[in-house]
Amino acid sequence: MIGEKAYAHMLREMGNINQSIVVSGESGAGKTVSAKHLLKYLTIVSSPENEINLECSIPASVIERRVLDSNPILESFGNAATPRNENSSRFGKFIQLQFHRNGYILGGVIQTYLLEKTRVVHQGPGENNFHIFYQLMSLGDIDQVPSWLVAVRAEVQHSGLDCTVPQQAETLSVLQTVEAMSDIGVSTSQQVSIFKILLAILHLSTMKFISIKDGEACTFSDTEDTDQFVYVSSRTKEECCRLLGISALSLHHALLNRKIVTGTKAHQSVYVKPVTVAEAQSRRDSLAMLLYSRIFDWLVNFINTQIKADTFDHCINLLDIYGFETFEINNLEQLCINYANERLQQHYVTHFLRDLQTEYELEQITWTPIEYKDNKTCVETLHGPSGVFGILNEVGLLDSTQSKVILFLTTPLNLNSLAPQHRTGR
């Protein structure tokens, strides 16, 4: 077992004492479940029941529970259903488990990468939003909830939001998530604030705009008739502002106007210009994504304050990242996800296949050669000196509304040669 081997090597101080486990593969291959089992094994095997850690007065069982309770929280806020996986991790996660030299677990630290914020405002065919939104809306159908959740349930019931809870998204119930947050130390008032912000995000993401002044400006749409419901945008704006604790005027200006600052610091001029419908929609979506990412980052930081050890001797690192993904329409998120996987694959090919076989040749060791595909061309096309990412960074510094950028490949390339090739296919 990988977890057992890593723990034994660390405990016996064999070779490199600190261990690292990378969980990689295609989307839906079972990486999240595997990482969950690894985490559970490592925390249980290193936490003798009723023992006290030598570096702190917290019982090992409490540290174990706090580390494990971080899983359902991050799963609710960072996982979502996709066509290939009902509980797909939509972020990368690096967990450092911290140990005393005698093998007892002292704590841990979590780092997250590439949270798919765009899922908050847009889901493709067959995809869902993050689990926590469906868990929140299911509160309206639960009869018995803790007393402090009654007010949140009332908010959900009177929100008027149309959010059908899909069967496949019910990996955890809202009460299980609440229990995990309480066990980790999140107070009831903090949880109420989180749920209010989530409701505000749902209200915000459904706001509509109509064009005025020949398309040069826009305003909130009063009503929109659909087959399912009559949506009143002005009420939604008021509810969103009330839940966020801001004035309706401030939200109005933030979404429908933009500031233009000219001149130097000594002689600055500030102009306010109305935005178009497309710009207002972009600002609305950006605000919703920002609010959600701030909640997610706050939760990760809070979890770290509860489980992090001040000092430790050894560690076992566990990396669980996105799986390889290919959709009919692939966005920037898929490019970054697949690129990260290709870099890991390239590292594996370079150090475990190419270098080892080269060493065998030099030492004249008899072995059966292993054929492999080198993705160096693909990786360097994206991240090389004149790679796509470098050009995109330069383009990002330009005013995209005033310039058009065309990428030319100065050297003809066979596009098939750029397709990643490895054990999981193309």
Side-chain angles (χ1 to χ4, degrees), residues 313-359:
D313 297 302
H314 310 312
C315 67
I316 296 179
N317 304 311
L318 179 61
L319 177 63
D320 175 19
I321 64 171
Y322 283 105
F324 298 93
E325 291 183 338
T326 302
F327 300 133
E328 291 185 8
I329 299 177
N330 296 288
N331 297 316
L332 179 62
E333 286 81 4
Q334 276 70 50
L335 176 62
C336 294
I337 291 166
N338 292 339
Y339 172 69
N341 277 280
E342 290 307 327
R343 288 298 296 266
L344 285 174
Q345 177 70 17
Q346 182 64 21
H347 180 84
Y348 173 79
V349 167
T350 301
H351 296 285
F352 292 92
L353 295 180
R354 190 191 68 186
D355 290 355
L356 281 178
Q357 294 191 89
T358 301
E359 185 177 346

Side-chain angles (χ1 to χ4, degrees), residues 224-240:
E224 180 182 341
D225 295 323
T226 69
D227 295 335
Q228 296 179 345
F229 60 95
V230 177
Y231 180 85
V232 183
S233 195
S234 58
R235 177 182 176 273
T236 298
K237 180 177 67 174
E238 293 172 359
E239 286 295 301
C240 179

Side-chain angles (χ1 to χ4, degrees), residues 137-390:
M137 297 309 295
S138 69
L139 262 180
D141 300 324
I142 300 177
D143 295 328
Q144 295 184 349
V145 297
S147 58
W148 61 270
L149 262 181
V150 172
V152 177
R153 182 180 62 183
E155 292 278 8
V156 172
Q157 292 173 335
H158 294 91
S159 65
L161 293 165
D162 180 42
C163 185
T164 303
V165 182
Q167 186 67 29
Q168 62 178 358
E170 298 182 66
T171 54
L172 287 172
S173 71
V174 64
L175 298 182
Q176 288 175 302
T177 302
V178 165
E179 182 181 2
M181 286 196 288
S182 298
D183 288 343
I184 208 74
V186 183
S187 67
T188 55
S189 61
Q190 289 171 328
Q191 292 185 54
V192 169
S193 297
I194 289 173
F195 288 133
K196 284 185 176 180
I197 296 173
L198 292 175
L199 269 177
I201 291 173
L202 290 177
H203 281 295
L204 181 64
S205 61
T206 55
M207 288 182 182
K208 307 295 180 182
F209 308 95
I210 57 173
S211 180
I212 58 175
K213 296 182 180 179
D214 297 327
E216 295 183 359
C218 69
T219 187
F220 292 98
S221 174
D222 291 332
T223 61
E224 180 182 341
D225 295 323
T226 69
D227 295 335
Q228 296 179 345
F229 60 95
V230 177
Y231 180 85
V232 183
S233 195
S234 58
R235 177 182 176 273
T236 298
K237 180 177 67 174
E238 293 172 359
E239 286 295 301
C240 179
C241 293
R242 181 181 63 81
L243 291 167
L244 291 176
I246 62 176
S247 67
L249 184 62
S250 62
L251 181 64
H252 180 96
H253 285 304
L255 296 182
L256 303 185
N257 299 283
R258 64 186 178 99
K259 288 183 179 180
I260 302 175
V261 181
T262 60
T264 62
K265 288 185 177 181
H267 303 283
Q268 271 191 355
S269 298
V270 180
Y271 303 92
V272 178
K273 182 181 178 181
V275 299
T276 64
V277 170
E279 290 173 327
Q281 292 171 343
S282 177
R283 296 167 83 86
R284 172 202 64 195
D285 293 346
S286 297
L287 179 57
M289 291 187 291
L290 176 64
L291 288 171
Y292 192 78
S293 65
R294 290 288 176 85
I295 291 176
F296 188 81
D297 291 341
W298 183 89
L299 281 170
V300 173
N301 291 332
F302 185 90
I303 290 171
N304 284 335
T305 61
Q306 298 299 104
I307 66 175
K308 183 179 179 180
D310 295 330
T311 60
F312 62 95
D313 297 302
H314 310 312
C315 67
I316 296 179
N317 304 311
L318 179 61
L319 177 63
D320 175 19
I321 64 171
Y322 283 105
F324 298 93
E325 291 183 338
T326 302
F327 300 133
E328 291 185 8
I329 299 177
N330 296 288
N331 297 316
L332 179 62
E333 286 81 4
Q334 276 70 50
L335 176 62
C336 294
I337 291 166
N338 292 339
Y339 172 69
N341 277 280
E342 290 307 327
R343 288 298 296 266
L344 285 174
Q345 177 70 17
Q346 182 64 21
H347 180 84
Y348 173 79
V349 167
T350 301
H351 296 285
F352 292 92
L353 295 180
R354 190 191 68 186
D355 290 355
L356 281 178
Q357 294 191 89
T358 301
E359 185 177 346
Y360 287 171
E361 289 179 358
L362 294 175
E363 297 292 335
Q364 298 182 351
I365 298 174
T366 303
W367 91 102
T368 302
I370 302 175
E371 294 185 2
Y372 61 90
K373 297 292 183 180
D374 194 339
N375 294 332
K376 182 178 179 181
T377 303
C378 173
V379 172
E380 289 188 349
T381 300
L382 292 172
H383 197 66
S386 301
V388 174
F389 287 140

